[in-house]
């Protein structure tokens, strides 16, 4: 596998469920990101991890909980979500900020539907 | 603060037509500017970028020029193809935690 891989591609969950989204990158990058893509809204940056430490948390509700166990893997744990959380969740990776060219590599996204 | 405004669309063009997708930005300092493209069922991928005023980014026949005086970075292509059908995102490079500020995206459909 190459690039940035996200699983599952589609997820339907009830408001009381607990689920996780997984992201894996095979590019040797050491920064990883979660973005939320909703219709007719700009992509919203949720979390940034650099060298496995969280460096940004953009006022995301606590029902979203990220985890970065190593530089190749990123998770987004979901708990008691709301219907308005339904969206496409995109994972991305890049080189560490000091070497960054501004180019992020995105996965194909996980389409989440909350009933 | 930093922000990007791009034309909403959707945009529908016939094959070989000229394309312009407008993008303007608000920023402190001198950010880098980017266009990303999202083909159906795929993630975003970088299309082109410009890192300073008057730079022109180009790729796959697409071009955009960093205009500081008009704070714009409009995307253009002289002759679109059906395979160019996608959603196009303008983005501005922020400072701090190495992140990008994206616009809302413009959906382009090219018909034969």
């Amino acid at each position: 596998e190459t690039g940035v891989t996200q699983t599952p591609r589609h997820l339907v969950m009830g408001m009381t469920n607990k689920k996780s989204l997984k992201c894996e990158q095979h590019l040797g990058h050491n920064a990883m990101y979660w973005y939320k893509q909703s219709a007719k809204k700009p992509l919203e940056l949720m979390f940034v991890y650099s060298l496995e430490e969280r460096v940004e948390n953009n006022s995301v509700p606590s029902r979203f909980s990220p985890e970065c166990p190593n530089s190749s893997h990123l998770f987004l744990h979901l708990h008691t979500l709301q219907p308005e959380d339904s969206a496409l969740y995109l994972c991305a990776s890049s080189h560490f900020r000091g070497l960054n060219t501004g180019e992020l590599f995105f996965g194909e996204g996980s389409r989440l539907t909350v009933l | 603060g930093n922000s990007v405004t791009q034309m909403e669309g959707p945009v529908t063009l016939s094959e070989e037509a000229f394309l312009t997708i407008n993008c303007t930005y608000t920023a402190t300092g001198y950010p880098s500017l980017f266009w990303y493209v999202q083909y159906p069922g795929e993630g975003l991928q970088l299309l082109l970028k410009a890192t300073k005023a008057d730079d022109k980014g180009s790729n796959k026949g697409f071009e955009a020029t960093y205009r500081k005086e008009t704070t714009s970075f409009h995307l253009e292509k002289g002759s679109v193809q059906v395979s160019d059908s996608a959603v196009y995102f303008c983005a501005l490079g922020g400072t701090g935690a190495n992140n990008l500020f994206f616009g809302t995206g413009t959906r382009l459909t090219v018909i034969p």
Side-chain angles (χ1 to χ4, degrees), chain A residues 9 31 33 35 37 40-43 45 48 55-56 88 90 94-97 100-104 106-108, chain B residues 4 8 32 34 36 38 41-46 49 51 87 89 95-105:
Chain A
R9 294 293 306 279
Y33 312 74
Y35 279 88
Q37 184 179 9
K40 299 188 178 181
K41 294 175 68 175
L43 265 69
L45 179 64
V48 181
V55 296
E56 188 136 334
L88 182 68
L90 293 167
S94 75
H95 290 294
F96 179 58
R97 67 177 107 170
N100 179 53
T101 60
E103 181 171 1
L104 270 60
F106 284 83
E108 295 173 330
Chain B
V4 170
E8 280 197 16
S32 296
F34 308 83
Y36 277 77
Q38 185 178 31
E42 299 184 15
L44 279 73
Q45 54 186 278
L46 181 66
K49 68 176 184 180
T51 57
V87 181
F89 292 87
T95 56
N98 179 30
N99 65 74
L100 301 178
F101 294 87
F102 285 88
T104 54

Side-chain angles (χ1 to χ4, degrees), chain A residues 12-53:
Chain A
V12 179
M13 59 187 289
M15 290 191 285
T16 58
N17 292 158
K18 287 185 181 181
K19 297 286 184 182
S20 296
L21 306 180
K22 178 183 175 182
C23 177
E24 187 172 359
Q25 59 97 2
H26 305 272
L27 300 169
H29 292 159
N30 42 30
M32 297 186 76
Y33 312 74
W34 281 116
Y35 279 88
K36 177 182 179 182
Q37 184 179 9
S38 305
K40 299 188 178 181
K41 294 175 68 175
L43 265 69
E44 300 173 48
L45 179 64
M46 300 176 72
F47 301 104
V48 181
Y49 277 81
S50 182
L51 300 176
E52 300 154 40
E53 290 190 11

Side-chain angles (χ1 to χ4, degrees), chain B residues 11-92:
Chain B
V11 175
T12 302
L13 294 173
S14 297
E15 209 165 18
E16 299 183 2
F18 185 86
L19 169 71
T20 300
I21 300 178
N22 290 338
C23 173
T24 57
Y25 67 89
T26 302
T28 53
Y30 303 97
S32 296
L33 298 172
F34 308 83
W35 277 99
Y36 277 77
V37 59
Q38 185 178 31
Y39 297 105
E42 299 184 15
L44 279 73
Q45 54 186 278
L46 181 66
L47 179 61
L48 54 85
K49 68 176 184 180
T51 57
K52 60 184 187 297
D54 300 326
D55 266 4
K56 178 186 285 188
S58 61
N59 186 26
K60 299 182 181 180
F62 290 89
E63 292 183 340
T65 301
Y66 189 159
R67 302 280 189 204
K68 184 168 174 288
E69 63 276 12
T70 54
T71 62
S72 65
F73 192 56
H74 304 322
L75 182 68
E76 297 182 336
K77 186 174 185 182
S79 176
V80 293
Q81 305 300 312
V82 172
S83 57
D84 294 326
S85 298
V87 181
Y88 292 83
F89 292 87
C90 186
L92 179 152

